[in-house]
Amino acid sequence: MVSGEGSALETRDDVPERVGLSRRDVLAKGGLVGAAALLPGLLAACGSDSGTTATGGATGADAQRPIDELSLIVPVMSTRLDGLRGGSQLNGIVNIALEPLILLDEDFELVPNLATRFEQTGPTTYEFEIRDGVEFWDGTPLTPADVVYSVELHKNPESELHSYWRYLKRVSARGTTVTVEMTQPRSQTLLAVANVPILSKRYYERNKAKIGTPGVLNMGTGPWKFETFVPEESLVYTANEKYWGGAPHIKRIVATYVTESSTALLAVRSGTENGNLDIPAGPEVTQYQRLSNVRVQRSGAGLRGAFFAFDTRKAPWDDVHVRRAFRHCIDREAVVQAALAGFGTPAVTWVPAEDMERILPAEEVASLYERFAEDGAFDLERARAELAQSSVPDGFEAEITVSDAEIDLRRTCEIVKETLKEVGIDLTIKVAPLNVVTEEMFVKHAYSLGIIGGQAGIPDQAAIVTLVNDSANRLPDGIFNVAEYENAEADKLIDTIHATPLDDPARVDALVELMEVTNRDVPYAMIYHPDSVMAIAEEYEYKKFNGQWYATRWPDQIVRV
Amino acid sequence: MSRIQNPIARLVAKRVLFSLAVVMFVLLLVFSLIHLAPGSPEATLAVQNPLGASPERIEQLREQYGLGDPLPVQFLRFVGNVVQLDFGTSYRTNEDVLPMVVERLAVTGPLILLALLFATIVGIGLGVWAAYRRGQAVDRATSSLAIFGASSPEFATGILLLYVFAVLLGVFPVLGAGEGFVDRLWHLTLPALTLAIAGVAGILKLTRAAVVKALEHDSVTFGKARGLAPSEVLRTNVLPNSMVGITTIVGLVAIAYLSGSALVEVTFDLPGVGALLIDAIQRQDIPVIQMITLLVALVTVTINLAVDVLYLALDPRVRARASAEAGQ
């Protein structure tokens, strides 16, 4: 159980210090992915560890050379700064200003922030000691009532963090202590708390109708304040010189969302932008590598992934032999080269090895993944053998719809189509707008065969695998189990994962077992894990870059070299 | 209408009424197309972040925006609100749509005007030059160049200009719209040039044809015979006789820029109306789509109306014909 005791979660009020929650070796953090461009949020819901730095809320300004202005291209931009948009890369945009109670540091360990102490006091209860003397940007003091209000906002389904908080029973304050009670054990609760922006209740109530719009913005306590905001386009932050943790070393941050990738590249090349925080894995990375004035940083970690989804209710996908045959037809190495220009790794299960090694010894990961790789190997002979045992031994026709915005997934389908043909499966590829594909895929579960790419919203290795395999997430009550997969054994393991604290080794065991079950039943077939890539002007460096930068206070990691 | 005695005013009044009918038809058409397109606004909004999507959220959105009401009810509600100058709020950003679009007009408006200025000056200048040098190398060269510009996709032209003038030479910015008059002008120069290049060909070709025709007119021959200077002939005879055709094409190019600006705005990352419309369509943000559609329709009919009125001002023959028609 994550508790104050073992995790040294206490710090002195006036001197924030880093106190790791030591989840890294114990927790299986889950988290999954997002369906492609739109799913970036999906996976964000589950989360796990990987983290940033941040010294317990302090920005570490003393140790870093000041930067007057940092201008970065970001992969997403919020529609509103109302504190309800998040659960994905948007957290990284909003929460550096509207800071949370606890933070994930550069190693993805939970550390105190606006809470000087946090503790899981029971299977469903958590306590947070609110830091004294913190002020909002307008000079009003932070109170426990603000914290209660900020958390309660997410009980509304309008919140994009609602999936974490649907099990919230009560949040209450006594003195300087805030207690969060859930209706059932939810091991991701602390990660969810690290996602919740703390807002001024007074300001929010006063501007409720238009909160988060360009003219109103929002009121927080973080090291950077909102200056100007153009929805879905740009956000300018200025340093909060009165920040309780010390003035931040970056005095101004300009975050811009650039639709056109060629323009973004030229902007970085010309020096107009100091960097691009998230470059899609693919040929574009090579173009950045050719620039002489930027450093390109890559990470295999980041809980990104792409996979096929089979509707297990519908023929012929209701036959496990068909699903296994399909899996044997995926030439992952070729797909990584063609779809990602080599900037990725073939996927054998849900979690990239680099992320898995945070919670399981490397040799165990290697052994486990070797077995998964063998089970799902690209092997047309085995595919034919599986098909021969199936209800459609002579092959069949299938159809898949891909979004016009997801070129990597489209290329993937084109390659797999060719190998499927060799075993008698005739695949037709259709293209549709992103919103249509998403609605048909998730809201209606209309596709018998689908392809999904995305990233976990929070750094929990269990996030995606639990989300898309949980029978509770089938229609009509849920949307994420697009395979409509139902397996009592898997559900039990998912319940165990949810009920077991992040730092309990039993959670990792349950996760591994769940991976085994889904590897056997194949409701989904893994394809690849794209690398996380960023580019930044040579005079800067992003220390410990990780694909889940947005789960941390990422500007703390950017230094002048 | 019958009380309007001035035949010109009657003609203009007729055109205004017709234009309003066109605007209403366009609104109805766009509204229908939005709902005929696959995908629903509530689902599209909900799955912007799939983690935030749930059946209850979709239902909440449907109720919040009245999306469960019959389509005629939704359309009439929209029209009723528009009459009261209430254009609603954006589904995505919760901003009032009217100020949201007006703010972006501060980018798109100058962009289009600047592009039109470039295209008109260059197009008319080259067109007149080519007409005076008909059949010569200059004529062929200008026509070829203009066609080449018109054939280049705006996206490619924009990236090329960015690469040369912003990256290699560093004389213009790569991104953004700038703040203040001078800064904005500086930021909009390359986008406006991109847009202008696409429109020059049409203006050049029409101007050339009109001037060639005017040059063959007896009055020009007579002017030359009287010893008038070529510039005097151009000013008093050639251009006045060509202006109806030139006005027509400039009006058409202006209308084309209303839609063409969207691609340019995306390429140069400008927060303009066109880029907003693309986002709104992708996310089925119906109030924003409808507001911009209304705006584009109004501007289009206004330009057409202005061109018609200019015909009357520029050409006495058109005035006479209009008066004769009105008197019948």
Side-chain angles (χ1 to χ4, degrees):
Chain A
M1 176 173 299
V2 176
S3 65
E5 80 218 47
S7 310
L9 301 180
E10 299 180 15
T11 61
R12 285 180 295 148
D13 280 359
D14 52 344
V15 185
E17 70 184 79
R18 167 148 20 151
V19 240
L21 177 52
S22 93
R23 312 173 37 216
R24 171 180 340 189
D25 25 21
V26 227
L27 319 190
K29 322 181 110 263
L32 161 54
V33 162
L38 22 142
L39 290 202
L42 176 160
L43 308 197
C46 321
S48 148
D49 73 338
S50 345
T52 312
T53 169
T55 45
T59 58
D62 292 345
Q64 295 165 357
R65 294 168 60 191
I67 297 171
D68 291 336
E69 179 171 308
L70 190 70
S71 184
L72 292 173
I73 294 170
V74 292
V76 290
M77 182 49 70
S78 194
T79 51
R80 311 175 202 176
L81 302 175
D82 57 4
L84 302 180
R85 320 292 134 195
S88 66
Q89 293 168 323
L90 282 178
N91 284 98
I93 304 300
V94 174
N95 290 13
I96 63 172
L98 306 176
E99 60 178 341
L101 286 179
I102 54 179
L103 285 178
L104 284 154
D105 72 5
E106 73 276 18
D107 295 317
F108 288 75
E109 294 182 357
L110 288 167
V111 295
N113 191 48
L114 288 177
T116 57
R117 180 184 67 83
F118 61 98
E119 182 180 3
Q120 183 170 359
T121 55
T124 58
T125 57
Y126 302 82
E127 279 189 6
F128 302 87
E129 190 68 26
I130 306 306
R131 187 178 296 278
D132 188 34
V134 176
E135 290 182 349
F136 287 103
W137 303 323
D138 62 359
T140 57
L142 168 72
T143 67
D146 293 309
V147 175
V148 170
Y149 185 80
S150 301
V151 174
E152 282 183 334
L153 283 176
H154 303 287
K155 288 174 77 172
N156 186 334
E158 184 182 359
S159 165
E160 293 178 356
L161 303 176
H162 178 66
S163 61
Y164 296 115
W165 294 105
R166 64 174 71 241
Y167 301 104
L168 176 65
K169 181 180 181 184
R170 184 183 306 117
V171 53
S172 57
R174 175 184 288 181
T176 56
T177 302
V178 169
T179 302
V180 171
E181 291 177 72
M182 308 299 281
T183 57
Q184 56 183 261
R186 302 297 293 181
S187 54
Q188 292 177 345
T189 300
L190 284 176
L191 294 171
V193 171
N195 260 347
V196 169
I198 302 302
L199 314 156
S200 162
K201 176 183 177 182
R202 195 176 74 152
Y203 188 84
Y204 206 99
E205 285 287 320
R206 191 188 295 161
N207 299 286
K208 203 166 187 175
K210 290 294 170 190
I211 194 76
T213 55
V216 176
L217 302 174
N218 213 324
M219 186 62 62
T221 62
W224 290 277
K225 302 184 283 188
F226 297 132
E227 182 183 299
T228 55
F229 170 52
V230 181
E232 295 189 307
E233 292 191 4
S234 65
L235 180 55
V236 179
Y237 315 78
T238 49
N240 173 12
E241 297 296 339
K242 296 179 181 174
Y243 184 55
W244 60 268
H249 72 293
I250 304 176
K251 301 307 174 192
R252 196 162 186 263
I253 299 174
V254 181
T256 308
Y257 174 71
V258 179
T259 310
E260 182 47 53
S261 59
S262 304
T263 309
L265 178 72
L266 291 178
V268 174
R269 175 178 175 149
S270 68
T272 304
E273 298 289 335
N274 297 124
N276 187 336
L277 209 43
D278 207 321
I279 303 166
E284 205 177 325
V285 177
T286 311
Q287 294 178 307
Y288 278 91
Q289 286 177 326
R290 289 185 187 134
L291 301 183
S292 58
N293 58 338
V294 303
R295 72 178 74 239
V296 174
Q297 299 183 232
R298 288 169 61 185
S299 168
L303 295 173
R304 294 174 191 252
F307 49 87
F308 287 103
F310 311 107
D311 190 331
T312 56
R313 299 167 307 177
K314 298 177 187 166
W317 308 109
D318 56 351
D319 185 337
V320 70
H321 295 294
V322 172
R323 303 197 294 269
R324 288 177 184 161
F326 190 101
R327 184 169 65 173
H328 284 308
C329 292
I330 305 172
D331 185 350
R332 295 173 183 79
E333 294 285 354
V335 169
V336 166
Q337 289 305 319
L340 304 178
F343 296 103
T345 51
V348 298
T349 185
W350 299 95
V351 184
E354 212 169 309
D355 288 305
M356 198 64 188
E357 286 169 6
R358 290 176 176 275
I359 56 171
L360 200 64
E363 57 275 19
E364 286 185 43
V365 173
S367 163
L368 184 68
Y369 280 38
E370 196 176 326
R371 192 151 43 79
F372 288 151
E374 174 56 25
D375 289 346
F378 170 57
D379 186 333
L380 295 184
E381 280 311 310
R382 287 168 68 185
R384 290 190 187 94
E386 286 285 354
L387 211 53
Q389 297 179 61
S390 76
S391 53
V392 281
D394 299 325
F396 59 95
E397 293 180 356
E399 181 181 297
I400 192 165
T401 306
V402 198
S403 140
D404 51 7
E406 297 167 318
I407 296 171
D408 52 342
L409 299 185
R410 194 165 156 185
R411 285 184 187 143
T412 299
C413 290
E414 284 161 359
I415 290 173
V416 174
K417 173 187 168 84
E418 295 307 311
T419 49
L420 287 171
K421 196 185 293 176
E422 294 188 37
V423 300
I425 301 174
D426 185 10
L427 182 67
T428 302
I429 303 169
K430 291 190 170 179
V431 179
L434 185 59
N435 67 311
V436 174
V437 173
T438 309
E439 181 174 346
E440 297 293 311
M441 175 106 66
F442 291 97
V443 179
K444 297 180 179 171
H445 289 196
Y447 298 145
S448 300
L449 173 66
I451 184 167
I452 299 171
Q455 182 174 25
I458 57 175
D460 179 5
Q461 286 84 343
I464 296 176
V465 65
T466 53
L467 197 65
V468 301
N469 289 293
D470 191 340
S471 65
N473 284 335
R474 294 176 301 156
L475 293 180
D477 300 322
I479 65 171
F480 297 118
N481 185 346
V482 295
E484 289 285 321
Y485 176 57
E486 184 180 19
N487 179 310
E489 188 183 1
D491 284 343
K492 193 176 171 189
L493 289 165
I494 291 168
D495 288 343
T496 301
I497 290 169
H498 286 320
T500 309
L502 292 173
D503 56 356
D504 189 332
R507 193 173 192 264
V508 182
D509 295 341
L511 172 60
V512 170
E513 218 175 317
L514 180 60
M515 288 168 149
E516 301 265 17
V517 171
T518 56
N519 179 60
R520 181 194 68 209
D521 290 352
V522 202
Y524 305 88
M526 302 300 128
I527 309 168
Y528 54 69
H529 301 297
D531 286 347
S532 300
V533 187
M534 76 161 303
I536 194 159
E538 266 192 327
E539 61 262 41
Y540 304 104
E541 182 183 5
Y542 189 130
K543 297 187 296 182
K544 295 197 177 182
F545 172 67
N546 180 290
Q548 286 197 308
W549 52 270
Y550 51 85
T552 69
R553 186 180 289 169
W554 53 270
D556 287 347
Q557 287 297 298
I558 297 179
V559 297
R560 193 187 287 276
V561 293
Chain B
M1 179 83 66
S2 57
R3 293 179 185 171
I4 301 176
Q5 297 303 315
N6 185 316
I8 304 298
R10 284 184 64 180
L11 184 71
V12 172
K14 267 187 191 173
R15 297 305 303 265
V16 168
L17 285 177
F18 178 72
S19 300
L20 286 177
V22 168
V23 169
M24 282 303 296
F25 176 72
V26 168
L27 283 182
L28 180 61
L29 188 67
V30 170
F31 182 85
S32 307
L33 288 175
I34 292 171
H35 287 88
L36 281 172
S40 61
E42 63 269 31
T44 300
L45 281 169
V47 297
Q48 275 186 61
N49 177 353
L51 271 188
S54 61
E56 57 187 323
R57 173 63 179 147
I58 291 170
E59 185 55 37
Q60 186 187 43
L61 284 164
R62 192 176 290 131
E63 282 185 21
Q64 185 177 346
Y65 296 117
L67 295 167
D69 295 339
L71 291 184
V73 172
Q74 290 186 49
F75 182 69
L76 289 176
R77 186 168 56 219
F78 164 67
V79 173
N81 289 338
V82 166
V83 170
Q84 301 171 59
L85 294 182
D86 175 6
F87 297 92
T89 57
S90 161
Y91 290 169
R92 296 171 301 149
T93 69
N94 199 34
E95 291 175 272
D96 290 335
V97 171
L98 182 59
M100 185 179 181
V101 172
V102 167
E103 190 178 333
R104 285 162 178 268
L105 270 178
V107 173
T108 303
L111 170 65
I112 290 178
L113 288 177
L114 204 55
L116 203 56
L117 186 68
F118 288 156
T120 305
I121 291 173
V122 175
I124 293 178
L126 290 181
V128 170
W129 193 24
Y132 271 85
R133 299 283 186 275
R134 186 160 50 137
Q136 298 177 19
V138 167
D139 185 19
R140 290 192 294 273
T142 51
S143 293
S144 304
L145 208 61
I147 289 169
F148 179 74
S151 309
S152 307
E154 284 152 0
F155 163 77
T157 309
I159 292 292
L160 183 66
L161 290 180
L162 272 179
Y163 182 71
V164 174
F165 292 101
V167 178
L168 290 185
L169 302 178
V171 292
F172 288 106
V174 178
L175 296 177
E179 292 171 4
F181 180 76
V182 175
D183 193 35
R184 177 144 302 177
L185 206 60
W186 184 50
H187 277 78
L188 292 183
T189 301
L190 284 186
L193 272 177
T194 305
L195 204 50
I197 286 172
V200 161
I203 296 177
L204 185 152
K205 297 292 277 183
L206 260 275
T207 301
R208 180 189 171 281
V211 171
V212 164
K213 190 176 175 188
L215 285 172
E216 292 168 349
H217 201 273
D218 290 345
S219 62
V220 173
T221 311
F222 187 62
K224 285 178 181 174
R226 288 177 59 204
L228 290 177
S231 60
E232 187 68 9
V233 174
L234 177 68
R235 190 178 62 79
T236 57
N237 286 76
V238 178
L239 282 182
N241 281 321
S242 312
M243 282 316 288
V244 168
I246 293 174
T247 305
T248 304
I249 187 64
V250 170
L252 290 174
V253 168
I255 291 168
Y257 281 175
L258 289 176
S259 54
S261 63
L263 275 179
V264 174
E265 286 171 5
V266 169
T267 303
F268 289 87
D269 197 42
L270 297 173
V273 176
L276 179 66
L277 179 61
I278 291 176
D279 283 345
I281 290 171
Q282 287 174 343
R283 309 288 179 79
Q284 296 199 298
D285 194 346
I286 293 176
V288 175
I289 298 173
Q290 286 171 326
M291 170 76 212
I292 298 178
T293 303
L294 177 64
L295 178 74
V296 170
L298 282 174
V299 172
T300 302
V301 298
T302 303
I303 290 173
N304 278 323
L305 192 61
V307 168
D308 287 348
V309 172
L310 275 175
Y311 287 166
L312 296 172
L314 292 170
D315 194 333
R317 291 167 299 185
V318 179
R319 271 201 303 276
R321 202 167 359 176
S323 296
E325 284 174 7
Q328 286 174 358

